[in-house]
Amino acid sequence: MASYQKRGGNSFLLIVEAGYNAKGRRIRRTKTIRVEESLLKTKRKLENHLNQELVKFEMEVQAGEYIAPEKKTIAAFKEDWLEKHAVKNLALRTCQNYEEKLNNYILPFLGHMKVSEVKPIHIVNFMNEVSKPEASKRKREGLSDSTLYEIDKTLRVLFNKAVEWRIISKSPLSDLRRPKIKRKEMKFLEGDEVHNLFEALQNEPSHWRLYFLTATIGGFRRGELIALQWSDIDFENEEIIITNSIPAFENGKPHIKSTKTNEYSRHVPMPSWYMELLKEHKLEYREEKLQLGAEWQGEGFEFIFHSGEGKPYWPASATRKWSEIRKKYNIKNVRLHDLRHTMVTLLIEEGAALKAIQQRAGHSSSKITSDVYGHLTKKVSRSTAEKFDKYNPNYKKTH
């Protein structure tokens, strides 16, 4: 049985009877619709329209596709989402990134709204607001393209889960375009700049000197380097074996996870001179650990790069130290992660095989390596073609 009743103005309440519950109480499904002003002027057209909408709603209820309006706000749903999904299924750092976007940007603007009330225009208005300079702590610059993209991604993850849990039938972002990210020019150190960096590092304590040497030569990600232990060093074969990463800390303890591409391990050959430096550093490490005795806080781990008592560096500590060193020795303004780009660039310019570079960098496929560093491979390809200039039949005439 189905019926409708006027609510006021141009809104009507559709009602469908859906049987009885376990206590014998009648189940009623309702849905509020609004009609155009023109239909209100003609009684027959209005009745036809309402009956059509009523039939569609009744079919929706009978097919089990009806979802009752959700009274929960986005702020309340976020807590459910965190507890029942994010914490259990997402990587710690991923979860932290989503929380940061929710707490700093999304909830202050949309948190009070009911999940079921959010329409595409609300998302459009919100993204317009956070695109303004005043939405950023750096008022003049505004939020970066990548931050806007991550805010949009967080919204999509949240509302997609609301659809999956049948709180809403469709995400308000499903038909909206994603923000575009302008690809930034890749930064890296040139050969002579690498020489200058390595010379400058001679003036730094051995643990920091080795950290940045390892980052440049091995091209390791920040978290991979922080997670490195002495058991990961193969002195005989002169290799570093990458198996873990520390992307973040949780309750003051390092969160150790498998590497980004989830490979079992990555064997990275290192120069002999570097391995000799590493041997010397290991002797210093043993002496330091012996002197601290019971004060050592390694807790069964032997992290190569630690804060002095066995605990690994916080990821942000390495980034801060790199900024200090770069400014201290007037090194080109590149990020810590750009030392990884530097390694790949130097190898490409030296003519190393793309497959070997892919394996060393830990990319899941050589296509990723080619896509990211395509502009460099084209440059090298051009230079290799120019080596045939001397075979030009007109070479002798022009030289």
Side-chain angles (χ1 to χ4, degrees):
M1 184 177 176
S3 61
Y4 62 81
Q5 52 186 247
K6 191 169 184 178
R7 296 291 298 271
N10 64 338
S11 67
F12 291 79
L13 181 69
L14 305 181
I15 306 167
V16 172
E17 303 291 343
Y20 297 85
N21 62 20
K23 295 182 179 180
R25 294 177 181 173
R26 184 175 291 175
I27 300 172
R28 303 175 76 205
R29 302 303 189 193
T30 61
K31 180 180 181 180
T32 300
I33 64 169
R34 287 176 173 78
V35 300
E36 295 179 6
E37 294 289 340
S38 59
L39 287 173
L40 297 174
K41 298 176 183 179
T42 308
K43 185 177 180 181
R44 181 175 293 180
K45 286 185 177 180
L46 176 61
E47 287 180 352
N48 288 338
H49 176 74
L50 290 173
N51 284 324
Q52 288 175 4
E53 291 298 312
L54 195 57
V55 168
K56 287 194 292 186
F57 181 47
E58 191 172 17
M59 292 175 63
E60 184 181 313
V61 171
Q62 290 174 353
E65 296 174 356
Y66 171 77
I67 299 175
E70 175 61 49
K71 296 181 180 180
K72 187 167 290 188
T73 64
I74 293 177
F77 178 67
K78 170 239 179 181
E79 297 302 325
D80 266 0
W81 173 79
L82 274 175
E83 178 188 348
K84 298 171 185 176
H85 170 69
V87 172
K88 295 178 180 178
N89 300 294
L90 302 179
L92 175 64
R93 188 60 186 145
T94 302
C95 196
Q96 290 175 340
N97 283 335
Y98 284 147
E99 264 205 283
E100 187 242 330
K101 301 301 181 295
L102 282 161
N103 295 337
N104 292 346
Y105 304 107
I106 298 171
L107 294 186
F109 195 94
L110 298 171
H112 66 286
M113 295 189 67
K114 294 177 183 177
V115 176
S116 58
E117 289 179 342
V118 180
K119 307 298 180 188
I121 189 60
H122 295 130
I123 303 298
V124 171
N125 290 339
F126 163 68
M127 292 302 293
N128 181 60
E129 286 299 315
V130 293
S131 297
K132 295 177 181 178
E134 53 265 29
S136 170
K137 294 178 181 178
R138 297 175 295 179
K139 304 293 184 183
R140 295 179 182 177
E141 299 178 26
L143 297 176
S144 66
D145 293 342
S146 58
T147 299
L148 291 173
Y149 185 88
E150 289 301 318
I151 291 172
D152 177 87
K153 180 181 177 182
T154 303
L155 281 167
R156 290 175 188 273
V157 167
L158 194 70
F159 280 102
N160 286 345
K161 190 56 65 176
V163 172
E164 182 184 324
W165 289 350
R166 297 183 64 77
I167 292 172
I168 53 177
S169 58
K170 184 179 180 181
S171 166
L173 293 98
S174 59
D175 296 326
L176 298 179
R177 292 184 178 180
R178 303 208 64 176
K180 291 183 179 179
I181 299 180
K182 295 177 183 177
R183 179 169 286 186
K184 295 181 180 179
E185 183 179 354
M186 187 180 294
K187 292 184 178 181
F188 51 85
L189 300 178
E190 303 284 355
D192 57 339
E193 293 170 329
V194 174
H195 278 297
N196 292 338
L197 170 62
F198 286 5
E199 286 182 11
L201 290 174
Q202 297 300 314
N203 303 313
E204 295 298 313
S206 65
H207 56 285
W208 281 123
R209 179 171 73 249
L210 273 169
Y211 182 94
F212 296 115
L213 281 175
T214 312
T216 308
I217 299 170
F220 303 120
R221 302 176 182 96
R222 181 180 65 175
E224 293 174 344
L225 258 182
I226 291 172
L228 208 59
Q229 299 187 62
W230 287 113
S231 57
D232 299 319
I233 308 300
D234 184 344
F235 285 105
E236 184 177 349
N237 293 305
E238 298 188 328
E239 291 181 338
I240 291 178
I241 305 167
I242 298 295
T243 56
N244 293 315
S245 177
I246 297 178
F249 275 61
E250 186 174 20
N251 299 322
K253 293 189 176 182
H255 177 70
I256 304 173
K257 62 184 286 285
S258 59
T259 52
K260 188 173 182 180
T261 48
N262 291 319
E263 72 269 74
Y264 178 68
S265 63
R266 182 165 94 249
H267 292 244
V268 181
M270 300 295 281
S272 297
W273 62 266
Y274 167 86
M275 298 303 291
E276 290 302 318
L277 289 176
L278 203 55
K279 285 179 182 177
E280 294 174 12
H281 183 63
K282 188 173 184 179
L283 292 175
E284 294 179 20
Y285 176 95
R286 295 298 185 205
E287 290 177 8
E288 192 172 27
K289 184 177 180 181
L290 191 63
Q291 288 176 0
L292 285 174
E295 295 179 14
W296 185 257
Q297 299 178 25
E299 296 184 4
F301 296 102
E302 288 193 321
F303 295 110
I304 297 175
F305 303 110
H306 61 93
S307 55
E309 297 174 341
K311 284 188 175 181
Y313 292 131
W314 285 66
S317 299
T319 302
R320 277 197 302 272
K321 187 62 181 181
W322 168 248
S323 180
E324 292 175 11
I325 287 177
R326 185 179 57 73
K327 292 174 183 176
K328 181 178 179 180
Y329 299 105
N330 199 27
I331 305 297
K332 187 164 70 178
N333 186 12
V334 298
R335 303 169 304 159
L336 174 58
H337 190 75
D338 291 327
L339 296 181
R340 177 173 165 80
H341 296 322
T342 296
M343 178 208 73
V344 176
T345 302
L346 293 176
L347 291 177
I348 288 174
E349 291 181 345
E350 288 296 322
L354 199 62
K355 183 66 176 176
I357 297 174
Q358 172 233 322
Q359 292 173 342
R360 186 178 186 86
H363 292 152
S364 56
S365 72
S366 54
K367 183 179 184 303
I368 293 176
T369 313
S370 179
D371 288 347
V372 175
Y373 301 97
H375 62 294
L376 291 172
T377 55
K378 286 180 182 178
K379 176 184 173 183
V380 173
S381 296
R382 183 70 257 161
S383 66
T384 56
E386 290 169 356
K387 294 184 185 299
F388 287 91
D389 283 349
K390 64 182 179 181
Y391 297 105
N392 183 349
N394 299 318
Y395 182 82
K396 292 182 179 179
K397 296 179 183 178
T398 56
H399 292 75

